[in-house]
Amino acid sequence: QNESVVRPPHRLVLQVAPSSAASRIVLPSAMSSNESLPLSCACGEVQGTLSGSGKGSYIVCYCTCCQDMHTFLGKESLMDAQGGCHFRMTAPGDIKFTKGESKINSFKLTEKTGTVRWYTDCCKSPIGATVSDLPPFMMDLSTSFIAAKDRALVARSLGPITMRMFADSSKKDTSALDNPKPSSRTFWLFTYMYHFLKFSIRWWWRGALSPHPFFVKGGKKLICEPAVVKAKIA
């Protein structure tokens, strides 16, 4: 299954109409409403689909917590060379699990944190993260959980990287990061909330805020109680 970090192509295609000297620039388009992406863990025991009916925001996080998540799961290979963990800010209603829901589990890195990390029991594949003390408006889906073989379709779904967070706290060298440059520790929350609010309004308008795959229908209760695992990470 997909064990590599997905990065969208950054290219422009120049097309010239045969009947005219005029030219036009064509950018890679977003996923159309009839497209969907398969989701899967590494061993295939947990599967699902990601609807193409709406956009999201492609985020790379370099914080020690996201790195510790991959260390705990034994999936350091899914991080990029700078220790970045790749996520797609995703409408919860766009995610549907079709197999192995009983194998989905969760954990927290500290007792007080509101961030809940989701993974599969079968092969310890990271699924993503949610915030338990906020309304269940979205989730950050790990791009490694996207199992499509059509890389062009994956690239259209992700789009370009819109935000890099906590690069200064990475355990690896992030000094050469660019396009975009990492958000400062002072302003990262404003940048994150801008993308969150922009897409949440769109998701609410088309009714994609529910059902949330990790919250019990009609409430804020999680489908399983997360364990605290910080002490288990060396």
Side-chain angles (χ1 to χ4, degrees), residues 146-163:
I146 299 174
K149 295 181 179 179
D150 185 343
R151 310 320 294 167
L153 179 59
V154 176
R156 289 201 303 274
S157 170
L158 295 176
I161 296 173
T162 57
M163 182 180 179

Side-chain angles (χ1 to χ4, degrees), residues 90-170:
T90 304
D94 284 345
I95 298 173
K96 300 288 189 299
F97 287 102
T98 57
K99 177 184 177 182
E101 287 186 76
S102 63
K103 295 180 174 65
I104 294 173
N105 211 335
S106 65
F107 66 88
K108 298 166 67 174
L109 292 170
T110 66
E111 186 68 46
K112 295 182 179 180
T113 184
T115 303
V116 180
R117 316 279 175 166
W118 298 88
Y119 69 101
T120 64
D121 268 334
C122 46
C123 59
K124 300 298 186 286
S125 291
I127 301 175
T130 56
V131 181
S132 60
D133 53 2
L134 288 177
F137 287 164
M138 66 93 183
M139 72 167 289
D140 289 331
L141 177 71
S142 294
T143 61
S144 60
F145 201 68
I146 299 174
K149 295 181 179 179
D150 185 343
R151 310 320 294 167
L153 179 59
V154 176
R156 289 201 303 274
S157 170
L158 295 176
I161 296 173
T162 57
M163 182 180 179
R164 299 183 189 273
M165 304 189 300
F166 300 116
D168 57 345
S169 66
S170 176

Side-chain angles (χ1 to χ4, degrees), residues 169-221:
S169 66
S170 176
K171 299 174 183 178
K172 299 185 179 181
D173 181 19
T174 60
S175 58
L177 288 174
D178 202 357
N179 192 30
K181 289 186 176 297
S183 299
S184 70
R185 184 169 289 274
T186 304
F187 295 106
W188 78 267
L189 182 59
F190 296 99
T191 307
Y192 186 90
M193 290 305 296
Y194 165 75
H195 290 288
F196 168 69
L197 292 172
K198 178 178 71 172
F199 286 108
S200 290
I201 292 172
R202 297 180 185 179
W203 298 335
W204 169 79
W205 182 257
R206 64 181 179 83
L209 295 180
S210 62
H212 197 298
F214 299 137
F215 285 80
V216 176
K217 185 177 181 181
K220 294 171 60 177
K221 184 179 179 182

Side-chain angles (χ1 to χ4, degrees), residues 12 24 37-38 45 47 103 112 126 130 140 155 185 227-228:
L12 296 175
R24 61 190 180 92
L37 290 172
E45 286 297 307
Q47 297 182 16
K103 295 180 174 65
K112 295 182 179 180
T130 56
D140 289 331
R185 184 169 289 274
V228 179

Side-chain angles (χ1 to χ4, degrees), residues 57-70:
S57 186
Y58 187 2
I59 295 170
V60 185
C61 184
Y62 303 86
C63 75
T64 55
C65 291
C66 283
Q67 293 176 357
D68 283 347
M69 172 187 74
H70 286 74

